[in-house]
Amino acid sequence: MSIKICTLYFEGKYTPDYVEKLHNGLKKYCSLPFEFICYSDNPNVKADVVIPLNPHSDIKKHWYKLSYFSPLFANQKPNDDIIIMDIDQIIVNNIDDIIGYPVGENELVSYNKWWGGKPKLNGGFYKFKSGELKNFWSDFIKCPEVWQLNWYKTGVVHYKYYGEQNFVDWMCEKHNVKLTLMPSEWVCKLTNNKKEDKENQLQYIKKFNKDYMVLDKPHDDIKIIHFANPHANIHDSDYHWIKDYWK
Amino acid sequence: MRIICVNTGNKFGQWYVDNLKHMIDNYSGLKYDSFEVIEEEKYKGVFNKLQMFDKFRDGENLYFDLDICIYNKVPNLIRRDLTVLHAWWRDRAHTSFNSSIISWTGDQSHIYKAFKKDVNMWQEKYNKGIDQMLEENFKVANYDKICYSIKGNEYNKKDNNYSIMLFNQSQYLMLPGWSSWWTDYFLPISVKNI
């Protein structure tokens, strides 16, 4: 059994160094052996394995992530632990508990989106056994055009082509997949909006009985920070401590 | 005997043509006189296939789609009368024909001529493709079960009862990053040629 950490990069919102910096963070803060894979339309991203992204496909943006649910993708072997991670994250403490989080048959492990909104799982992190959730891909690829716009057209999300985590959440329900959310306080959300960050900070303090979420650096109980917001990115962030972790 | 394929538009790159020839030369056992590639895009999508009935009006002709895997010696596929696949692996839907493999001997240019008379009408009426057009308007025979489809077989082992598998609408499984038994029969893939 091996751990494959699988990412996606496509030209647009981010730059290729996001991939390299996440990889560097994983190498620094994870003592478990893993293979770092990037499915990318830019061949210059830095990863152990770079899979070229098909330029003619009907699949849009982050929906390519779903390819990893197929055991035929990314040279998966039976019983491999597959982790799909978004690249807009900063690792700030030892992450062995997250990367090594136990996962069984017919189970999906994800972050707990304690800061609100539905679904409770977070598309920034999916962990499962290779092939166990292959129906997610099979169902999606039957009509990607429909699924990619479904949650936008029904008003659940407000940005075109958003809704991938809604699809995954719905797949869990449809296929009776056990959804496991890791301890909430391990993950926090930041944005480029001070007001929103302050509200999250207060919520974190209250919810988890901590002194703070982020001051001159993130709280020691936080292992990873997700810039989970359609308008958020790491490279424009004002937090000075970021340079110590994201390099 | 002439082998024909069609590569118009941007759906398939040169790799698919090279890969088809590679599989034919190495696994099919087919002996042919020429390998013809139609590249000129004159019509909408699959209607470009019909050009072959105009261009090749003599001898034995055998056409293959590009999204197939040939992994063993093929049975005799050459036919005198125009012959296409019967899509036995799926429900009938709008047609039971599948033109991933076509064979004929001699002149079938009457099909192209009929199409040319009113291109827009044909393209609009048969917007799901030429299979239904061939079934409803021309005298066309069907092959027996000479190949199978990947639909429903994605995770199964290679079926040794056949020598050809069609990817149908699952062409992505031929791309870099995707692998299974069929990858062993493909040319190494080059990103710039896909």
Side-chain angles (χ1 to χ4, degrees):
Chain A
M1 186 274 281
S2 67
I3 300 173
K4 286 183 188 288
I5 300 180
C6 307
T7 59
L8 169 71
Y9 175 82
F10 54 91
E11 296 284 2
K13 188 176 177 184
Y14 305 118
T15 45
D17 62 314
Y18 271 65
V19 177
E20 185 176 12
K21 286 170 178 168
L22 178 65
H23 192 193
N24 289 341
L26 284 160
K27 285 188 280 191
K28 184 174 178 185
Y29 290 110
C30 179
S31 68
L32 304 170
F34 64 87
E35 184 180 40
F36 186 78
I37 300 167
C38 187
Y39 191 18
S40 170
D41 62 3
N42 182 327
N44 299 316
V45 296
K46 300 280 195 303
D48 296 328
V49 177
V50 178
I51 299 173
L53 200 153
N54 169 28
H56 306 310
S57 171
D58 293 331
I59 302 173
K60 309 290 183 193
K61 298 173 179 261
H62 48 281
W63 290 87
Y64 280 104
K65 276 160 57 180
L66 299 183
S67 308
Y68 290 111
F69 282 105
S70 171
L72 303 180
F73 192 63
N75 201 27
Q76 296 180 33
K77 301 285 182 292
N79 211 36
D80 277 351
D81 280 359
I82 308 299
I83 294 171
I84 307 175
M85 280 187 85
D86 280 351
I87 57 172
D88 53 350
Q89 307 189 68
I90 304 176
I91 302 166
V92 294
N93 274 304
N94 183 283
I95 199 174
D96 287 359
D97 288 339
I98 289 181
I99 299 301
Y101 204 87
V103 65
E105 292 175 4
N106 200 41
E107 182 179 16
L108 179 75
V109 174
S110 184
Y111 299 152
N112 187 336
K113 213 161 67 186
W114 56 262
W115 49 85
K118 286 183 179 175
K120 285 294 281 182
L121 63 78
N122 180 287
F125 186 96
Y126 302 129
K127 183 174 182 181
F128 52 93
K129 286 280 180 199
S130 174
E132 283 293 318
L133 308 182
K134 63 183 180 224
N135 286 337
F136 290 23
W137 171 255
S138 308
D139 284 4
F140 169 69
I141 201 62
K142 277 178 196 158
C143 40
E145 306 85 357
V146 172
W147 297 124
Q148 289 171 150
L149 288 170
N150 183 61
W151 283 270
Y152 176 68
K153 283 184 175 172
T154 51
V156 176
V157 297
H158 306 295
Y159 297 91
K160 205 173 179 185
Y161 300 122
Y162 274 61
E164 159 253 319
Q165 59 190 7
N166 302 75
F167 175 81
V168 170
D169 186 59
W170 178 64
M171 282 289 105
C172 287
E173 202 180 310
K174 182 184 172 195
H175 296 292
N176 289 315
V177 171
K178 181 185 175 192
L179 176 61
T180 301
L181 302 177
M182 292 183 286
S184 308
E185 63 269 35
W186 288 355
V187 182
C188 83
K189 174 192 178 184
L190 285 180
T191 69
N192 303 111
N193 180 317
K194 285 201 168 98
K195 187 168 171 275
E196 190 177 343
D197 287 354
K198 195 177 172 187
E199 287 166 2
N200 282 333
Q201 173 109 273
L202 292 171
Q203 205 183 152
Y204 186 86
I205 292 166
K206 199 173 165 187
K207 228 180 237 292
F208 307 115
N209 196 26
K210 309 281 185 193
D211 296 331
Y212 63 97
M213 181 175 86
V214 175
L215 282 177
D216 57 341
K217 69 181 188 88
H219 194 284
D220 282 346
D221 290 343
I222 292 172
K223 300 174 186 299
I224 194 158
I225 296 173
H226 192 190
F227 279 67
N229 177 312
H231 301 297
N233 64 58
I234 302 174
H235 59 269
D236 287 330
S237 176
D238 289 334
Y239 295 104
H240 64 89
W241 51 266
I242 280 181
K243 65 181 186 309
D244 298 328
Y245 298 94
W246 197 61
K247 54 190 179 183
Chain B
M1 194 267 281
R2 179 187 289 125
I3 288 181
I4 306 162
C5 64
V6 175
N7 186 21
T8 55
N10 63 1
K11 187 175 179 185
F12 298 104
Q14 182 60 35
W15 177 83
Y16 289 90
V17 174
D18 297 341
N19 186 51
L20 176 66
K21 188 169 185 304
H22 165 79
M23 293 184 292
I24 287 169
D25 291 347
N26 287 282
Y27 310 117
S28 74
L30 286 166
K31 302 290 175 214
Y32 57 89
D33 300 304
S34 66
F35 186 91
E36 308 284 350
V37 185
I38 294 173
E39 293 181 317
E40 190 181 358
E41 186 163 22
K42 288 184 170 179
Y43 310 108
K44 277 188 188 172
V46 292
F47 286 91
N48 284 295
K49 269 190 192 181
L50 299 175
Q51 293 183 59
M52 64 182 155
F53 298 123
D54 181 41
K55 286 180 184 290
F56 307 117
R57 301 181 181 203
D58 60 4
E60 295 173 332
N61 299 286
L62 179 57
Y63 164 86
F64 290 106
D65 270 357
L66 296 173
D67 52 346
I68 66 173
C69 179
I70 301 173
Y71 54 92
N72 210 339
K73 199 168 188 303
V74 300
N76 181 16
L77 299 173
I78 304 300
R79 296 292 184 272
R80 189 190 63 176
D81 299 326
L82 180 63
T83 303
V84 304
L85 295 172
H86 168 65
W88 59 268
W89 55 84
R90 59 163 169 80
D91 293 335
R92 190 183 188 286
H94 60 286
T95 178
S96 64
F97 277 26
N98 178 287
S99 57
S100 293
I101 301 175
I102 305 173
S103 179
W104 76 96
T105 301
D107 187 354
Q108 290 286 345
S109 61
H110 65 98
I111 297 174
Y112 184 75
K113 284 174 189 161
F115 170 69
K116 275 288 282 179
K117 275 186 187 163
D118 196 344
V119 171
N120 290 337
M121 181 278 289
W122 290 107
Q123 290 185 156
E124 277 176 34
K125 184 174 181 185
Y126 294 104
N127 55 35
K128 289 182 177 171
I130 65 166
D131 300 348
Q132 186 183 3
M133 173 191 169
L134 292 174
E135 182 174 24
E136 293 180 2
N137 299 280
F138 301 98
K139 191 180 169 199
V140 184
N142 283 136
Y143 282 111
D144 292 331
K145 292 183 180 179
I146 53 150
C147 63
Y148 76 113
S149 166
I150 198 166
K151 291 285 178 192
N153 292 302
E154 292 89 342
Y155 303 110
N156 293 341
K157 287 181 181 171
K158 179 176 67 180
D159 189 337
N160 286 316
N161 292 312
Y162 301 97
S163 50
I164 304 171
M165 183 184 71
L166 312 179
F167 282 92
N168 295 129
Q169 275 74 52
S170 299
Q171 170 225 332
Y172 67 88
L173 289 166
M174 301 175 78
L175 292 170
W178 296 90
S179 56
S180 187
W181 62 264
W182 53 80
T183 320
D184 296 339
Y185 296 91
F186 288 172
L187 269 182
I189 200 157
S190 155
V191 180
K192 63 181 179 185
N193 287 332
I194 57 174

